[in-house]
Amino acid sequence: MTSGVVRTAYSARAAEYISLFGSISSTHPVDRELVLSWARGLSGKVIDAGCGPGQWTAFLHSGGVAIQGVDLVPEFIETAKQNCPEAQFAVGSIEQLPTPDHSLAGILAWYSLIHTPPAGISQVLDEFSRCLKPDGGLLIGFFDGPAGESFPHAVTPAYFWSVEEMSARLQDAGFAVIGTHSRADPGVRPHAAIIAQRLLTPSRVG
C-alpha cells in the first residue's frame, strides 16, 4: 500500500478521525505514562512520526519534550498547528523524515506503521536508524497479532505484528530492544509497544 493511498483514505475521513482520536484523553492512561516516561529520558529533538492530529506531540511538548510532529495528511497537520501552535509540525512521510542523518534523540512511531505492508517495514526502520543518533531511542506502538496478517481497519487496511517479529525486524535494522509491553483490553484489538535503542554501529545502515 502506497503512502498516497493512506493519505487519501485518511484525508477523506479526517474530521471523523480527529473527533474520535484527536485528544490525548482518548488514549490509554498506561500508554500516556509509558510514552512520557520514555520521552523524558531522551536528550535532544524527538520526532512524532505519523503524528496524526498531533495529540501525542502536544502532550509531550507540554511535558517539556523538544518534539516535532510529522504526518502525511495535511488536514491533520492543520488541526495540530491550530491546537498546539507552540509545537512544530510538518507534512511529511515516515519513509523520508525531514531531518539530517543521526540528528534525533528519539522517534515516536505510535501506530504509524500499521498501514505499512510487511515488505516495506525494513525500509521504514532503516529510515528511523538513519535519523537517530547513536544510542537514540525509538518507541513503536502497534496491534499485537500474527505478524504481517492484514485486517480491515476502519480507514484503510492495516497489519498486525507480533512482538517477536517486530523485535527481530528492529534488530535487523540496527536496534537493540530495551523493553516490550503488551495489553489486551476488552472490546479492542490487543496492543503492544517496543522500546528500542539505535546501536553505535547498525548492521544495515550507517
Side-chain angles (χ1 to χ4, degrees), residues 18 68 74 81 98 128 145 157 177 187 190:
I18 292 165
Q68 177 184 19
K81 288 179 176 179
F128 290 170
V177 173

Side-chain angles (χ1 to χ4, degrees), residues 38-106:
W38 166 80
R40 282 180 167 169
L42 304 171
S43 179
K45 183 179 178 180
V46 178
I47 279 186
D48 181 3
C51 67
Q55 67 273 25
W56 284 107
T57 314
F59 173 66
L60 291 179
H61 181 269
S62 69
V65 179
I67 190 164
Q68 177 184 19
V70 175
D71 199 273
L72 276 174
V73 183
E75 292 87 349
F76 286 165
I77 295 299
E78 180 180 352
T79 296
K81 288 179 176 179
Q82 291 172 355
N83 291 341
C84 187
E86 307 85 10
Q88 294 183 340
F89 294 96
V91 176
S93 168
I94 62 173
E95 293 152 358
Q96 193 172 8
L97 292 173
T99 191
D101 293 357
H102 315 320
S103 61
L104 298 177

